Amino acid sequence: MDATPETMIAIDPAAPGGPEVLVVVERPVPVPGPGDVLIRVAAAGVNRPDVLQRRGGYPPPPGAPSIPGLEVAGTVVALGAGVAPELMGQPVCALVPGGGYAQYALAAAGVCLPVPSALTIIEAAAIPETLFTVWTNLFERAFVVEGDTVLVHGGTSGIGTMAIALANIFGLKIIVTAGTDEKCAAARKLGADHAINYKMQDFVAEVKAITGGHGVQAVLDMVGGDYVPRNLQCLADDGRHVSIAVQGGLTATIPIFEVMRRRLTLTGSTLRPRDTAFKAMVADELHRIVWPYVAEGRLKPVIDRTFPLANAAEAHARMESGDHVGKIVLTVEHAG
């Protein structure tokens, strides 16, 4: 294996701004500490938090690199103390707290998942952030089980398309919302049972009609704001509402007595600030329960478009346009 260089190409904006601040710079190759691996990055997923970080609204957690990028796939080329030697040279994908938009990135060994032959390296890079997010929130916080009906907003986003894939594997009925008829058709083609055009239809009325007035067992919401009380109207008694983003507003007014009367649960989470031990526990759970489906080729991310790392600005512009269906991925080249 080639020796690791001392410097690398990365995207590391000096100041917040529009997509144009995402320009190539040179940075030192990071050195793995105890429990870490160094990954020679082949591809990195683009996620909504990267856009928020670029705008200055989502600073990296303490100790995380300023380089954006929360998921990578590539080859392990160096090991920190205490890491199993058999990881060396292995193709992996990993959830990282930052640093993905670069030729090399550090990851905790415990959050690395093997890349099976059923996945391309680009597909592998598009999995960790959305899979960890949907699994922890829909299956662990909302406790969904086979036969449940769920409502997921943003049905053609990376989160939405992963939720559809997992729903199809684990026997959930899934209703999604999207902003155009074309996106609704795309969601249904991917396996959504129902897709509601929220710009043309009242999703509360539609959910009630679809469920015969009963409502859904869980809502996965990335909008927040005035969607929250509307989401509660979509819930069945004992239903669970999980917030994972606040694109539509940081606050909501909710009918407390309705929550009491119908025994509703409101919860939510953010993944990035969670500690390595929690993420490693989730990775282990995913490896045992979900990864067999990945290895069989039954679970694949939906890839919208790929861009070279140097064109990260175009990738962010694509995400901000809202036209994408599935994941946007950066491809990373190396000399030699």
Side-chain angles (χ1 to χ4, degrees):
M1 192 171 291
D2 295 338
T4 304
E6 292 183 0
T7 62
M8 65 180 183
I9 298 299
I11 304 288
D12 189 10
E20 70 279 357
V21 303
L22 300 178
V23 295
V24 169
V25 294
E26 196 172 84
R27 290 288 182 267
V29 171
V31 177
D36 290 339
V37 300
L38 180 68
I39 298 172
R40 187 179 192 262
V41 177
V46 176
N47 293 282
R48 185 69 59 177
D50 304 345
V51 173
L52 298 178
Q53 178 177 325
R54 189 207 74 223
R55 294 174 181 167
Y58 192 36
S66 57
I67 296 168
L70 302 177
E71 58 187 350
V72 297
T75 306
V76 175
V77 293
L79 308 176
V83 177
E86 51 266 29
L87 263 178
M88 189 69 174
Q90 292 302 307
V92 298
C93 60
L95 185 73
V96 293
Y101 291 15
Q103 290 179 314
Y104 293 87
L106 293 179
V111 302
C112 293
L113 290 161
V115 179
S117 58
L119 284 185
T120 67
I121 206 73
I122 287 170
E123 289 171 333
I127 284 183
E129 171 70 11
T130 54
L131 179 56
F132 275 69
T133 298
V134 175
W135 184 261
T136 56
N137 287 288
L138 204 53
F139 290 82
E140 293 184 345
R141 300 197 72 80
F143 307 110
V144 295
V145 294
E146 185 176 357
D148 280 352
T149 302
V150 300
L151 170 64
V152 177
H153 293 296
T156 53
S157 67
I159 293 288
T161 53
M162 178 59 73
I164 291 169
L166 288 171
N168 288 334
I169 286 173
F170 291 100
L172 308 177
K173 185 175 182 180
I174 184 165
I175 305 167
V176 303
T177 63
T180 67
D181 289 343
E182 291 76 17
K183 284 192 170 189
C184 287
R188 284 190 291 266
K189 188 174 181 181
L190 291 171
D193 295 284
H194 300 274
I196 301 164
N197 182 337
Y198 67 84
K199 291 182 179 177
M200 305 295 291
Q201 300 166 291
D202 175 4
F203 72 79
V204 176
E206 292 297 318
V207 167
K208 287 181 176 177
I210 290 165
T211 61
H214 182 68
V216 299
Q217 280 68 50
V219 176
L220 187 64
D221 179 52
M222 57 188 86
V223 182
D226 63 4
Y227 262 49
V228 177
R230 296 172 69 197
N231 290 335
L232 298 188
Q233 295 179 56
C234 296
L235 284 174
D237 289 355
D238 297 295
R240 287 83 67 192
H241 182 284
V242 189
S243 298
I244 59 168
V246 286
Q247 295 174 27
L250 292 167
T251 60
T253 301
I254 59 170
I256 296 294
F257 188 70
E258 194 68 4
V259 173
M260 295 160 55
R261 185 178 70 82
R262 300 178 52 222
R263 303 171 303 282
L264 306 179
T265 299
L266 277 72
T267 184
S269 72
T270 54
L271 180 61
R272 191 180 189 186
R274 297 298 295 270
D275 62 26
T276 300
F278 171 79
K279 293 173 183 175
M281 179 187 71
V282 176
D284 180 65
E285 198 170 83
L286 292 171
H287 193 249
R288 288 184 290 106
I289 300 171
V290 180
W291 224 243
Y293 297 101
V294 177
E296 292 169 8
R298 290 181 58 190
L299 178 65
K300 282 178 174 281
V302 177
I303 305 297
D304 174 77
R305 195 172 293 183
T306 65
F307 295 87
L309 178 64
N311 293 12
E314 292 180 37
H316 274 226
R318 171 80 178 161
M319 174 160 278
E320 288 181 293
S321 75
D323 293 334
H324 60 291
V325 174
K327 291 299 294 274
I328 299 166
V329 178
L330 300 174
T331 57
V332 183
E333 292 192 358
H334 294 257

